[in-house]
Amino acid sequence: VRAGALFKATRARSWQDFASARAPPARCPSGMRAAARAYMHSLERRPMLTKSSTSFAAFSITDLLAQRRERRAGWDAARTVRGGLYGFLYHGPFVHTLWGKRWGLERFLPGISWPMVVSRVAADQLALLPVNMLVFCAWPALLTRGPTQEGLAEAEAAVRSGWWEACAFGWSIWPFVHLINFKFVPLELRILVLNTVSIGVFSYATLVRDGGGPMSSSQLARTLTGSVSVGAGRAKTDAP
């Protein structure tokens, strides 16, 4: 009850009051307190850049986890950068804008009543998630080859190969996460929760053996990182 009251209160306060209310407790290690204060300060001054940087870090980490699971001979830095750039150039700005109060869900479906929360989750999952899945499936081909005929062909093949699979897996997780995220987490921190859960889910996936269920871990890695590219006439796992 107290946690719910705190989160409700933060919505009625100014950003400064919110930042003050969410200050890290004194019992946290000093390094963690300093990092949390720096993050909140950056979020206040440069919200889109901060959220984009958070997405860059999250997608870079998920790719590093994928490469470790694949037991690659060496680290493919370019692949990790491609994943991070998806988060920085697309995912962070996209979510910041379309979850926000000016152009996004908070403008048209405001408030934290359950009807509004459920409506936001439905809009996010039915309208925004399919677009996200389409972009991250096509991202590696378009980033490496550009909007050329070859790049567009590879992007189309990647989307055909992985888009529905990615959407279906996303719908098995994100509606439940966002019911809590949209209800109890302040708007400014929701993308941080999104990215943290993404890393957590992928970290769990690294403990699962390939072929251990209806979706293999390699498919799960592709779903979580958008690591799809096409070569030699077939889809293969490559990079976010």
Side-chain angles (χ1 to χ4, degrees):
V1 176
R2 291 180 61 190
L6 172 61
F7 283 123
K8 289 180 181 179
T10 61
R11 285 168 169 76
R13 297 173 178 172
S14 67
W15 169 256
Q16 288 76 16
D17 291 337
F18 164 76
S20 175
R22 301 301 299 162
R27 64 178 177 273
C28 289
S30 58
M32 292 180 61
R33 291 201 305 271
R37 284 195 296 267
Y39 182 82
M40 297 298 290
H41 181 68
S42 178
L43 196 59
E44 177 185 357
R45 297 186 60 189
R46 298 174 291 272
M48 182 178 291
L49 179 61
T50 302
K51 293 174 185 178
S52 296
S53 300
T54 303
S55 290
F56 178 89
F59 281 91
S60 297
I61 291 170
T62 55
D63 181 74
L64 290 171
L65 289 170
Q67 292 194 41
R68 181 176 180 181
R69 177 168 182 78
E70 293 163 12
R71 297 179 175 86
R72 300 174 66 92
W75 172 44
D76 186 346
R79 169 175 153 167
T80 302
V81 171
R82 286 197 296 270
L85 287 176
Y86 168 81
F88 186 80
L89 298 177
Y90 171 76
H91 184 262
F94 182 87
V95 173
H96 170 77
T97 301
L98 294 182
W99 281 9
K101 294 180 179 180
R102 186 172 184 181
W103 306 107
L105 298 177
E106 283 290 332
R107 175 179 180 179
F108 301 103
L109 299 168
I112 58 169
S113 66
W114 279 116
M116 287 294 99
V117 169
V118 171
S119 297
R120 283 204 303 276
V121 171
D124 175 75
Q125 295 300 294
L126 296 177
L128 304 187
L129 182 142
V131 175
N132 278 334
M133 298 301 100
L134 186 150
V135 173
F136 80 51
C137 284
W139 183 263
L142 294 179
L143 188 65
T144 56
R145 301 187 184 277
T148 61
Q149 182 176 357
E150 184 180 13
L152 292 174
E154 290 192 3
E156 180 183 0
V159 170
R160 290 182 182 276
S161 172
W163 177 79
W164 177 253
E165 180 183 82
C167 288
F169 183 77
W171 289 326
S172 73
I173 292 180
W174 296 117
F176 307 101
V177 173
H178 290 327
L179 281 174
I180 304 303
N181 200 11
F182 290 170
K183 175 69 175 179
F184 297 109
V185 178
L187 173 62
E188 295 79 7
L189 297 179
R190 287 173 189 168
I191 193 171
L192 181 62
V193 171
L194 168 66
N195 287 325
T196 302
V197 173
S198 295
I199 296 172
V201 170
F202 189 81
S203 298
Y204 173 77
T206 62
L207 302 177
V208 180
R209 297 289 182 183
D210 284 345
M215 176 180 286
S216 70
S217 59
S218 61
Q219 292 171 321
L220 181 57
R222 184 174 65 184
T223 296
L224 291 174
T225 64
S227 54
V228 179
S229 71
V230 176
R234 63 185 180 85
K236 65 179 181 179
T237 302
D238 181 43

